[in-house]
Amino acid sequence: MNFQSVSSLQGEIQIPGDKSISHRAIMFGALALGTTEIYNFLQGADCLSTIHCFQKLGIEIENLGSLIKVHGKGLHGLCASSSILDVGNSGTTARLITGILAAQPFASVLTGDESIQRRPMDRIITPLSMMGASITSHKKTRYCPLSIEGKSLTGIHYDSPVASAQVKSSILLAGLYANGTTSVTEPYVSRNHTELMLEQFGVPVITHNTTVSISTASKLYHQKIIVPGDISSAAFFMVAGLIVPNSCIRIQNVGINPTRSGILDVCIAMGANITLENKKTDIGEPTADIIVKTSNLKGTIISGEMIPRLIDEIPILAVMACFADGETIIKDAKELKVKESNRLDIIVKNLSAMGADITATDDGMIIRGGKPLHGTTIDSNNDHRIAMSFAIASLVADGVTAIQNAECVAISYPNFYHDLAYLIRT
Ligand code: SPQ
């Protein structure tokens, strides 16, 4: 797909529902008794994979477009799938569902696409095995496909070496079934949607600094969930509005949970003209309209506790840094190497090809802003966040930018190009 520079972006958009919350709403709805209704569910390929997996596990799920009805069967209502569970491209589905399957009275086999089969699963196999789980990799490696033989589990305290919501959530979901208390301590706080949703479904959660604990659950209660707009999808339009000349964009109803809103802090530190209006909170998840206007930006440092709060926004923040005065340093971001693609390598390779002054480091990159970008051919590596980041970069690059496998945006934002076209003023 080809892109060119534009003279302005103007208008108001509603971005789709939050991917992390949509996955969890299906999972918790399946484990609750009764019908959970989900509004503004993300109809992206990853969340549809979660629906298909739970349908295979015997849960009736009606996808009515604007409304999803999950007819939950309770904590002990899942049944064995007659075929392999396919999580597609979704790391969240793979890791969270494994925590649930580890405690079921049946065996399951789980796999996903070529990218999933390269993403490390030992980060959940290790703690789940400490709880008594039986999980083996078919390739005798740390990757999918996995065979999971359900066992009775015992609660543990796990000191996670990584700040990862997927690791934390997988352990907590297993902990719903485990004897005693299950707790996880992370080096920094990762997104807390699982904790908030557990409480919404009636499971007490204790959070103290970076430790989260739960005890064996007896019942989850069906809920009505209104999914906020995804800040990770809004991020592309936030950055576009800041770097394309003469722009002003209002993005409605975006989730601004503090465990996800690191991008707002970075934009403000870089001097962005960004304001929040219509702030609301629904069941612990705050939302706001985000208004961005073209800004003069300056470099910053992105590191430490901030990294898990903006982990999926680093590709588009790297693009933004090319348009800031001075140096932007991104460090402590090694986790980006094990996402849908090796995002550190791909960002540096693609931005260098466009003419940016960028240097790879062991755990991040250094970007010296101010060099003009030029259109070229960009390999998205079938990574949705890479494709969207470079579509935005192309709006401020000379000439034509051709993005290969651009359609992979369907993973998290099927209407991305349509929404972008709606804002363009030439
Ligand atoms: O689901 P998947 O494929 O892992 O998706 C990504 C993404 O960019 O959409 C990461 F590649 O988001 C993760 C995120 O990076 C979603 C997620 C969650 O919903 O719990 C947590 C983060 O991953 P992690 O490993 O840091 O916990």
Side-chain angles (χ1 to χ4, degrees), residues 45-57:
D46 270 11
C47 297
L48 297 178
S49 292
T50 293
I51 289 186
H52 293 144
C53 286
F54 279 88
Q55 286 172 330
K56 282 190 172 182
L57 292 165

Side-chain angles (χ1 to χ4, degrees), residues 10-262:
Q10 298 284 337
E12 189 161 333
I13 53 162
Q14 182 129 37
I15 42 116
D18 187 277
K19 180 158 81 69
S20 297
I21 296 176
S22 295
H23 282 300
R24 287 158 173 83
I26 297 293
M27 296 183 185
F28 286 92
L31 301 182
L33 268 181
T35 301
T36 288
E37 293 188 348
I38 310 168
Y39 295 86
N40 200 34
F41 177 83
L42 172 63
Q43 300 277 352
D46 270 11
C47 297
L48 297 178
S49 292
T50 293
I51 289 186
H52 293 144
C53 286
F54 279 88
Q55 286 172 330
K56 282 190 172 182
L57 292 165
I59 302 298
E60 190 197 339
I61 301 173
E62 294 176 79
N63 188 344
L64 307 170
S66 59
L67 167 65
I68 306 277
K69 288 186 181 180
V70 184
H71 301 283
K73 289 187 172 173
L75 276 166
H76 302 283
L78 300 179
C79 49
S81 170
S82 56
S83 55
I84 294 177
L85 296 167
D86 184 355
V87 303
N89 190 246
S90 174
T92 306
T93 314
R95 298 200 177 111
L96 271 58
I97 206 171
T98 300
I100 298 171
L101 295 173
Q104 302 306 313
F106 54 78
S108 310
V109 179
L110 179 120
T111 194
D113 68 7
E114 185 254 332
S115 150
I116 276 292
Q117 294 186 37
R118 280 186 279 111
R119 295 182 68 183
M121 296 298 282
D122 52 340
R123 54 180 55 202
I124 56 156
I125 295 174
T126 300
L128 293 175
S129 301
M130 288 163 64
M131 296 174 80
S134 167
I135 305 169
T136 47
S137 163
H138 284 207
K139 296 179 185 160
K140 305 224 176 327
T141 58
R142 56 185 192 141
Y143 306 109
C144 283
L146 299 180
S147 277
I148 305 152
E149 204 186 309
K151 296 279 184 200
S152 59
L153 305 179
T154 307
I156 55 163
H157 172 78
Y158 188 64
D159 262 313
S160 177
V162 281
S164 159
Q166 294 180 357
V167 171
K168 174 175 63 178
S169 302
S170 184
I171 298 168
L172 292 176
L173 285 164
L176 290 173
Y177 296 88
N179 284 324
T181 302
T182 299
S183 57
V184 186
T185 301
E186 327 182 70
Y188 299 116
V189 175
S190 65
R191 64 191 68 188
N192 67 353
H193 305 301
T194 296
E195 295 92 299
L196 293 173
M197 207 177 281
L198 276 170
E199 293 202 310
Q200 184 184 353
F201 277 80
V203 178
V205 178
I206 298 169
T207 303
H208 183 65
N209 298 326
T210 63
T211 300
V212 184
S213 313
I214 62 162
S215 298
T216 327
S218 52
K219 192 175 171 187
L220 270 66
Y221 299 89
H222 64 96
Q223 297 296 320
K224 174 179 168 183
I225 295 170
I226 302 167
V227 181
D230 196 327
I231 191 164
S232 299
S233 298
F236 302 105
F237 295 110
M238 285 163 58
V239 171
L242 295 173
I243 65 175
V244 173
N246 310 311
S247 297
C248 178
I249 305 174
R250 174 186 282 265
I251 314 163
Q252 295 166 359
N253 187 39
V254 182
I256 53 164
N257 177 323
T259 64
R260 293 284 298 283
S261 61

